[in-house]
Amino acid sequence: MAPQPEGTPGPPTTVLLFGATGDLARRKLLPGLLHLWRSGLLPDVQVIGTALHDHDRESFVQMAREAIEEFSDDAEDKKEFDEFAKRLWWADSGVDHLLAAVAEAEAGLTGERLRLHYLSVPPKAALNVVEQLRDAGMVAGSRIIMEKPFGVDLASAKALNAAIHEVFDESQIFRIDHFLGKEAALNILALRFANGLFEPMWNRNFIDHVQIDIPEALGLEGRAGFYEGTGAFKDMVVTHLFQVMAFAAMETPTALDPQSITEEKNKVFRSMLPLEPANVVRGQYDGYRKEDGVAPDSETETFIALKCFVDNWRWADVPFYLRTGKKLAEGQRIISIAFKEPPKSMFPEGSGIGDDGPDHLTFDLSDQAKMSLSFYGKRPGPGFRLQKLSMQFEMEGTQWAGSILEAYERLILEAVKGNHTLFTTADGVERLWEISQPLLDNPPPVRRYAPGSWGPNQIHQLIAPFAWRLPFERGWRESH
């Protein structure tokens, strides 16, 4: 399917939101669907919520109203909620209730409608929902969005994919990773492939190493039960950081279409060497074992840093350093490309050359998309003293409501349009679990770290002789 022009609205759609009373639905999905509707990107949408909790349509609408008030930051969206509420429906659990709610929601509507099933449910409940949809006859022509994790190892990922494929074709399945819905993730593609300046240098001859750094200041936020059986690696690295890495490492796709981009991402995964436990640092913040739902002798990691390699002609011997964790010094989402330093310096001792490390091209993947390019320049004045300079770029917003979409909003819209560019595939997921197996079989010991730090001390040995790029040495320029 060819990409559609920016701003093209999605087709008439009925969204079946499973787990509609959960935290994700309240924080992101309901506010996101309201925004997509109000901005004209999903102008003809009906939303059917369903969950195990007791609700009827009236109480579900009230819950949605409270969620919008608390979590939406768009005043115009809030003003239009009463009109949007006419598009909200409720289905009690069970096939018969689901069929009745769909008939009610779509009564009087003409023309073909797409049905989008969003599974905002725990992984163990996903297959039950898939079976319900099969029994209800709601599979043909529909699409399904699935939340992570996509298995916990190679065997479970294969079993999960096989079970889903008995009901849904791979082309109907959208495995969601909200990091790839961010504007800055797409900016990586734009910067690499639309500019003759960067692509010729985007290889082992000019790049020394790459860092993908996603520390989180937040803790478990009530998710200890889920996290205890998952940990930072399964929760974040396989589903998030490796996916972002693929955009940074992929070859030029033959076209800007989902199939071509997915092929290049999967080539990156196939080229990755198996993870070596010696190149991994696992950590656990002090106090984790006292959290509700956590075993007193838990070895679950709340922090992970690792070094991995993409073993192809472009990237051979270039290390990729990945780091993420809970309760760290601050929350950031950074990709940093470190360029090789000149092979020999003509500058005298004391000039400052090399004092601040190599030149970097840095992407900030936060909601306010930014890029920074650092390099050495001469300090004004007598003598020849060098200092690090920085050029910074910030994506400015516009007044159009659909111009800047929150990550989940973008991904829901892309799924409605059938665009797989920002989603992973069964083959990609299984390959990532395959290269992860040595680490899963022989994990290194969990190191302790203090909340508010940058993780265990061993992370510095992992990246030596260089250093992690967080926090930024120079703040972003303030807009004028």
Side-chain angles (χ1 to χ4, degrees), residues 28-42 68 72-74 76-77 84 400-406 409:
K28 297 293 186 180
L29 305 183
L30 290 168
L33 287 165
L34 166 59
H35 185 70
L36 288 171
W37 167 76
R38 188 187 69 79
S39 63
L41 291 171
L42 278 183
I68 301 300
S72 174
D73 57 3
D74 191 311
E76 295 303 314
D77 283 356
F84 178 70
W400 175 54
S403 62
I404 296 183
L405 296 180
E406 198 274 335
E409 295 166 5

Side-chain angles (χ1 to χ4, degrees), residues 260-338:
S260 300
I261 292 174
T262 297
E263 284 177 357
E264 298 305 332
K265 286 170 57 184
N266 284 345
K267 286 180 185 177
V268 172
F269 300 148
R270 289 196 295 271
S271 300
M272 289 178 67
L273 295 177
L275 300 181
E276 295 186 17
N279 289 335
V280 178
V281 176
R282 297 168 70 231
Q284 185 185 97
Y285 66 77
D286 291 330
Y288 171 77
R289 294 178 178 178
K290 296 179 181 178
E291 302 267 10
D292 291 338
V294 173
D297 58 350
S298 172
E299 291 294 309
T300 298
E301 79 278 357
T302 61
F303 171 97
I304 192 157
L306 60 89
K307 176 169 65 174
C308 61
F309 294 90
V310 178
D311 193 28
N312 59 20
W313 279 30
R314 182 183 291 266
W315 296 111
D317 300 323
V318 175
F320 286 75
Y321 296 98
L322 281 56
R323 176 171 67 166
T324 187
K326 300 288 187 183
K327 290 202 174 182
L328 296 177
E330 59 183 278
Q332 295 214 36
R333 298 160 184 169
I334 300 296
I335 299 178
S336 191
I337 312 295

